[in-house]
């Protein structure tokens, strides 16, 4: 009897794990916007910068924008798998969300980092957004 109970419980456990894996792989069913997620007011951005990422480097060390001017920040993944995060400005871009409009209110330097672990050079993927 103990063997039958063990087999039944084992079958239930395996079934539950398979069901959990199936449900976690399904996602929400919503298809991402092919142009990237955009924030309200994006059409009003008067400037744009494009941050291009390749393996272990951004295309520029510094990106310059003006204080108080709406700017569209776009992300382009040239090589490898990367993302962009500018924590102090609440910017996070990746392959699903490729652009965001912000209006930087304070002058200063803001650190840009890769938000997706991309390998041994991940920690070197930094740049600066300078608000003038």
């Amino acid at each position: 009897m103990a063997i039958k109970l063990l087999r039944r419980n084992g079958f239930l456990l395996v079934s539950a794990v398979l069901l959990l894996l199936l449900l976690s792989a399904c996602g929400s069913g919503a298809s991402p916007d092919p142009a990237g997620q955009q924030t309200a007011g994006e059409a009003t951005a008067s400037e744009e910068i494009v941050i291009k990422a390749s393996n272990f480097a951004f295309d520029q060390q510094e990106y310059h924008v003006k204080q108080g001017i709406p700017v569209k920040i776009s992300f382009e993944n040239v090589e490898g798998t990367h993302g962009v995060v500018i924590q102090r400005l609440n910017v996070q871009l990746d392959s699903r969300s490729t652009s965001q409009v912000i209006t930087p209110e304070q002058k200063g330097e803001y650190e840009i980092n890769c938000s997706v672990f991309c390998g041994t050079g991940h920690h070197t993927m930094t740049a600066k957004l300078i608000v003038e």
Side-chain angles (χ1 to χ4, degrees), residues 13-57:
L13 179 63
V14 169
S15 297
V17 169
L18 288 175
L19 181 61
L20 182 63
L21 288 172
L22 178 65
L23 290 175
S24 67
C26 289
S28 67
S31 60
D33 178 3
Q37 183 180 21
Q38 300 173 348
T39 59
E42 186 152 348
T44 63
S46 54
E47 301 204 12
E48 179 179 12
I49 62 169
V50 179
I51 301 173
K52 296 179 182 180
S54 59
N55 282 337
F56 315 128

Side-chain angles (χ1 to χ4, degrees), residues 41-73:
E42 186 152 348
T44 63
S46 54
E47 301 204 12
E48 179 179 12
I49 62 169
V50 179
I51 301 173
K52 296 179 182 180
S54 59
N55 282 337
F56 315 128
F58 293 112
D59 64 322
Q60 297 178 39
Q61 287 297 307
E62 296 180 349
Y63 302 87
H64 295 262
V65 297
K66 294 183 175 97
Q67 176 187 14
I69 305 294
V71 61
K72 178 179 178 181
I73 301 175

Side-chain angles (χ1 to χ4, degrees), residues 94-112:
D94 55 30
S95 62
R96 291 185 180 198
S97 177
T98 59
S99 66
Q100 183 176 341
V101 173
I102 64 166
T103 303
E105 298 297 337
Q106 295 189 7
K107 291 183 180 182
E109 293 184 2
Y110 298 85
E111 189 169 305
I112 301 171

Side-chain angles (χ1 to χ4, degrees), residues 65-131:
V65 297
K66 294 183 175 97
Q67 176 187 14
I69 305 294
V71 61
K72 178 179 178 181
I73 301 175
S74 297
F75 170 66
E76 188 176 318
N77 202 27
V78 177
E79 177 185 32
T81 303
H82 307 283
V84 168
V85 64
I86 309 171
Q87 288 184 350
R88 291 179 41 217
L89 294 175
N90 294 321
V91 173
Q92 184 153 1
L93 304 173
D94 55 30
S95 62
R96 291 185 180 198
S97 177
T98 59
S99 66
Q100 183 176 341
V101 173
I102 64 166
T103 303
E105 298 297 337
Q106 295 189 7
K107 291 183 180 182
E109 293 184 2
Y110 298 85
E111 189 169 305
I112 301 171
N113 294 299
C114 180
S115 62
V116 176
F117 182 74
C118 53
T120 58
H122 173 72
H123 68 282
T124 66
M125 285 193 68
T126 62
K128 292 181 183 178
L129 178 69
I130 299 175
V131 179

